[in-house]
Amino acid sequence: MAERVGFIGLGAIGRPMAKHVIARFGGLVWNRTPERSRRFADETGATVAPSVAALVEGSDVVVTCLPTSREVREVVQGTERQWRSGQLLIDATSGDPATSREIAAWLGQRGVSFVDAPVSGGTSGAAAGKLAVMLGGEAAAVARAHPIVETCAAKIVHVGGVGTGDALKAINNALLAVSIEAAGEGLAALAKLGVPAAKALEVINASSGRSNVTENLIPERVVSRKWPRTFRLALLDKDVGIALDVLRQTGVPHEAIGMAKQACAEGRKRLGAEADHVELVKLIEEQAGVEIR
């Protein structure tokens, strides 16, 4: 018998993910903004659950995609009476490992399995169904989650036990933050020396310093001066903070990621809650007195 799937959280990443899941499995959706749920249902044929409790009660598998693990825990524990043995929670939130382990333990006492399944690839990857997904959990639960996750993924990797998916996602985004800062600083210095960004990037992207930041983000957003908003700096700041906690808890040096966290926090403060993550380069340009063009 087919799994009954419920999807909670129709934000920037959750909404396109849910479209792929619902297209294959059908099912229930719920968002804390009811109008967003109604619009989604009109477009996709999904059924809007009258409450988050009704969604949990009417689903075999629940998928959450929320801002932080705190909201996931609130939703899960707020529907305590609806959870039953044999259900599965797939948490696509970019969460923190410790809270995910707490949620998994709480659900495990009720016979419910848990898989952390954070994603990478941004809104474009979610829309195209080509996300990279990192799965943390027991093998049986991961195997059960796989057909649902694969609806919106090009790459799925089971990386370890509960919380390891969250840890890997945070480290990945911390590396992104380090790359943005390093590329912005280096290109600003070259601009002040009279080296055009196109020339600098031509060399860097044919050499060992290349990255997604230099190959895609800088040319498409900075050099073009378009600055699209696809992933909020506030969320990157949150993810780098999680990565920093992971490094501290594991006793690993964290100078580079610690500096990236300081840059993200300062950028969030100065640029505002809605700023895009690549807008960190704007602050570098401002401090350097130059534009990367």
Side-chain angles (χ1 to χ4, degrees):
M1 188 171 67
E3 301 268 34
R4 297 177 299 168
V5 180
F7 202 105
I8 299 172
L10 301 175
I13 296 292
R15 188 178 187 282
M17 288 181 64
K19 287 184 72 172
H20 293 292
V21 173
I22 294 299
R24 183 176 299 182
F25 291 93
L28 301 169
V29 296
W30 183 87
N31 193 78
R32 61 184 176 185
T33 307
E35 179 57 31
R36 184 171 291 181
S37 298
R38 287 192 291 269
R39 288 199 304 268
F40 181 85
D42 289 343
E43 294 173 10
T44 64
T47 300
V48 178
S51 66
V52 67
L55 184 145
V56 172
E57 189 169 23
S59 303
D60 302 310
V61 179
V62 176
V63 183
T64 47
C65 189
L66 299 171
T68 72
S69 293
R70 182 181 65 246
E71 286 86 358
V72 178
R73 180 167 52 195
E74 289 172 356
V75 165
V76 168
Q77 296 184 349
T79 53
E80 179 175 5
R81 294 181 180 180
Q82 283 70 45
W83 292 101
R84 62 188 181 278
S85 181
Q87 287 177 298
L88 168 66
L89 173 60
I90 303 171
D91 183 25
T93 303
S94 292
D96 69 87
T99 304
S100 287
R101 288 191 291 268
E102 291 174 9
I103 295 169
W106 188 91
L107 288 170
Q109 294 174 354
R110 292 154 178 80
V112 179
S113 300
F114 176 93
V115 172
D116 49 299
V119 305
S120 182
T123 54
S124 60
K130 295 184 178 180
L131 293 167
V133 187
M134 299 138 268
L135 301 181
E138 295 182 357
V142 167
R144 186 179 174 189
H146 203 282
I148 297 167
V149 172
E150 72 179 6
T151 63
C152 46
K155 184 75 171 180
I156 304 171
V157 182
H158 181 196
V159 301
V162 169
T164 57
D166 289 334
L168 180 52
K169 170 60 186 294
I171 295 296
N172 176 77
N173 279 14
L175 297 178
L176 168 62
V178 170
S179 295
I180 291 171
E181 279 294 299
E185 291 172 2
L187 289 168
L190 290 170
K192 297 196 81 169
L193 292 172
V195 180
K199 294 292 186 183
L201 290 169
E202 182 180 356
V203 173
I204 291 168
N205 290 331
S207 306
S208 56
R210 68 186 181 277
S211 68
N212 181 56
V213 172
T214 61
E215 290 181 328
N216 297 302
L217 297 183
I218 296 288
E220 294 170 4
R221 302 173 182 224
V222 179
V223 178
S224 70
R225 314 312 290 177
K226 291 180 179 179
W227 306 105
R229 290 186 167 181
T230 60
F231 178 50
R232 290 195 296 127
L233 175 57
L235 293 177
L236 181 62
D237 182 39
K238 180 262 294 183
D239 291 343
V240 179
I242 293 171
L244 191 55
D245 286 340
V246 169
L247 291 167
R248 287 168 173 161
Q249 291 161 8
T250 53
V252 173
H254 46 268
E255 283 78 8
I257 290 176
M259 291 176 67
K261 178 65 178 75
Q262 292 175 13
C264 287
E266 179 64 19
R268 181 177 181 179
K269 178 181 177 182
R270 293 180 56 185
L271 295 169
E274 299 303 316
D276 185 77
H277 63 307
V278 182
E279 290 183 67
L280 282 171
V281 179
K282 284 185 177 180
L283 297 183
I284 295 170
E285 290 179 326
E286 179 183 318
Q287 292 165 358
V290 69
E291 287 188 353
I292 297 169
R293 289 181 178 271

